Amino acid sequence: MASDQRIYRASTTAPVNIAVIKYWGKRDPNLNLPTNDSLSITLSQSDLRTHTTASCSSTYRASTPSDSLLLNGKTEPLTTPRSIVCLRSLRALRSKLESENPELPKLSTYPLRIASSNNFPTAAGLASSAAGFAALIRAIADLYELPQDPRTLSVIARQGSGSACRSLFGGYVAWDAGVREDGLDSCARVVASRSPWPEMRALILVASAAQKDVSSTAGMQTTVKTSGLFRQRLEDVPRRMKEMERAILMRDFETFAEITRRESNSFHATCLDTDPPIFYLNETSKMAIRAVEAMNKEAGMAVATYTFDAGPNCVIYYLEMEWNFIAAKLHVALKGKEGWPKGSMSDLSGLRMGNERVEEGLNSGVSRVIMTSVGEGPISVQDHLIDEHGKPV
Ligand code: DP6
């Protein structure tokens, strides 16, 4: 039989997710199993997404015999233990299909060539590893024509990066920590699609696009070993999960807002209680917290809430109908920043926040703003980052 010279390709885009109940701590670092359940909101891919093409061919053996990755135009290793585990699991599923049907091309034996690009800064605390692994897993699963459902794929993605398992779904997504030692029940599930609460919005204040100081992986390991507050947190999370799921299903923004901000503060307090302490928030982050508090106080209700991942960028969740009020309060601080609406809002400065220290802090510390909403899970696309000859485009 003539050897198979074809170039096989599949492409996908995958979203970022920002947790409102944080994953922080591993009960099994090898299998990447978490100490607690978590819950996140998948953000729209129009604003934040990873685009990945997975390709394989027997012809790649001649030039690049091993698997290769081009990330934002730079060659990166696909030999980290996490990538290896993910690729091995996907190949095993493909190989099973091939042994059941000998007519299938033996894609599982070909080197993989992956190209991936983000439309936002990598490792800036904007959950790039989540979108990255979700896109990688989905693209290879499509390339291999695997019949597995997203829940099964989320078990694989989890081993690449914990938060990635949630990026395989759109809307409001929980990651159940699971109890099994093999981790097969530690995967994501949809709490609600984006449609029941379409008014939810996210305003991201980018306070730093630099790579973070302490990686999440290293940081959470030290927290588990050294923080007493962490143990307290583990007791609080199950109740918060229940209340959060209820708040989302009931569209109860007041409860959603309270749990979100308290969760974020509890997570960052735990970081500070780690020895040596981990600081993800900076002065700009604190000004963002003050700004949200001031808005809520003036409104006499929760119009917005905030959360921070392992970095200083502030994610403000709010409901669309409150936008005019929020925009008026933040306009003086953020006007002229990339991503902030231009023009017609100039009349808003009369309704400003009135706290100059906060306004100046945000003005000097925020580099850009991303206004986005709740989005869907990975999307298969025909726009390939590797051409029909196997070359990056
Ligand atoms: C603060 O998923 O990046 O964003 O599993 O070690 O890759 P690894 O960690 P990662 O941690 C994310 C932590 C967080 C909270 C969250 O997204 O739930």
Side-chain angles (χ1 to χ4, degrees):
M1 193 174 92
S3 75
D4 177 13
Q5 302 280 305
R6 270 173 295 177
I7 308 280
Y8 296 88
R9 295 178 296 168
S11 296
T12 190
T13 61
V16 157
N17 70 75
I18 299 290
V20 288
I21 305 277
K22 304 292 185 191
Y23 149 52
W24 196 253
K26 299 176 200 285
R27 66 182 157 91
D28 181 334
N30 292 326
L31 290 174
N32 217 21
L33 297 174
T35 46
N36 59 270
D37 298 342
S38 56
L39 197 151
S40 60
I41 301 184
T42 295
L43 299 183
S44 167
Q45 295 180 51
S46 321
D47 305 294
L48 298 165
R49 55 118 190 91
T50 297
H51 178 186
T52 296
T53 297
S55 145
C56 67
S57 172
S58 67
T59 64
Y60 292 169
R61 288 192 189 116
S63 49
T64 44
S66 53
D67 301 326
S68 65
L69 167 67
L70 201 67
L71 176 62
N72 294 321
K74 261 179 59 193
T75 307
E76 299 273 343
L78 253 181
T79 49
T80 59
R82 290 166 170 223
S83 313
I84 290 173
V85 168
C86 293
L87 299 190
R88 195 185 292 143
S89 306
L90 293 161
R91 277 205 166 97
L93 293 172
R94 171 69 193 185
S95 169
K96 188 160 174 287
L97 290 182
E98 290 164 4
S99 57
E100 286 160 6
N101 178 359
E103 309 219 318
L104 288 178
K106 303 278 179 284
L107 304 192
S108 65
T109 64
Y110 300 164
L112 282 160
R113 214 171 259 184
I114 314 284
S116 194
S117 75
N118 293 334
N119 63 352
F120 57 93
T122 304
L126 284 175
S128 57
S129 70
F133 271 102
L136 179 78
I137 303 305
R138 187 72 256 181
I140 299 177
D142 288 352
L143 177 76
Y144 287 171
E145 299 185 339
L146 300 180
Q148 273 70 22
D149 61 13
R151 223 164 135 71
T152 309
L153 295 180
S154 87
V155 171
I156 301 177
R158 185 203 78 227
Q159 296 173 74
S161 183
S163 51
C165 74
R166 298 185 309 235
S167 271
L168 282 167
F169 297 95
Y172 302 81
V173 183
W175 171 11
D176 297 317
V179 291
R180 285 174 60 145
E181 270 179 32
D182 62 8
L184 290 180
D185 57 351
S186 184
C187 57
R189 80 184 143 86
V190 176
V191 171
S193 73
R194 67 189 164 138
S195 39
W197 211 2
E199 306 87 1
M200 183 68 79
R201 296 286 178 275
L203 170 69
I204 306 177
L205 308 182
V206 180
S208 163
Q211 294 237 345
K212 53 195 168 202
D213 267 5
V214 182
S215 75
S216 314
T217 310
M220 65 177 90
Q221 298 288 71
T222 322
T223 301
V224 173
K225 280 195 209 114
T226 63
S227 167
L229 268 189
F230 171 73
R231 280 179 274 284
Q232 172 64 44
R233 201 181 132 63
L234 286 188
E235 284 176 24
D236 295 340
V237 167
R239 178 183 42 83
R240 284 191 181 142
M241 272 298 283
K242 275 205 198 96
E243 287 173 8
M244 181 55 97
E245 286 197 40
R246 194 204 127 274
I248 290 167
L249 294 171
M250 305 296 290
R251 298 154 35 118
D252 169 0
F253 190 79
E254 194 76 40
T255 306
F256 169 87
E258 180 180 341
I259 301 173
T260 298
R261 66 173 187 267
R262 292 180 75 125
E263 244 305 294
S264 175
N265 292 335
S266 139
F267 156 49
H268 288 280
T270 303
C271 289
L272 191 62
D273 188 48
T274 299
D275 188 34
I278 307 169
F279 308 106
Y280 288 127
L281 305 184
N282 64 15
E283 283 311 304
T284 310
S285 318
K286 291 178 200 162
M287 292 303 137
I289 293 176
R290 286 281 171 253
V292 172
E293 282 181 344
M295 287 189 271
N296 289 343
K297 191 163 175 229
E298 190 176 329
M301 60 187 259
V303 292
T305 188
Y306 56 82
T307 188
F308 299 81
D309 275 349
N313 301 327
C314 181
V315 179
I316 296 177
Y317 284 119
Y318 65 96
L319 296 180
E320 157 84 294
M321 63 208 179
E322 304 297 348
W323 171 246
N324 287 346
F325 178 76
I326 294 168
K329 296 297 152 205
L330 294 177
H331 186 61
V332 169
L334 299 176
K335 68 178 174 216
K337 302 279 175 199
E338 184 185 341
W340 185 254
K342 292 192 178 59
S344 60
M345 298 171 78
S346 53
D347 54 326
L348 294 180
S349 42
L351 303 167
R352 60 195 284 182
M353 192 159 27
N355 183 331
E356 281 176 25
R357 200 170 70 91
V358 170
E359 282 176 345
E360 276 161 26
L362 288 180
N363 191 265
S364 60
V366 173
S367 57
R368 63 181 276 206
V369 171
I370 299 166
M371 292 178 62
T372 190
S373 53
V374 188
E376 55 191 319
I379 303 168
S380 296
V381 292
Q382 289 310 314
D383 177 12
H384 299 302
L385 301 173
I386 293 175
D387 70 15
E388 58 276 32
H389 309 293
K391 302 261 174 290
V393 290

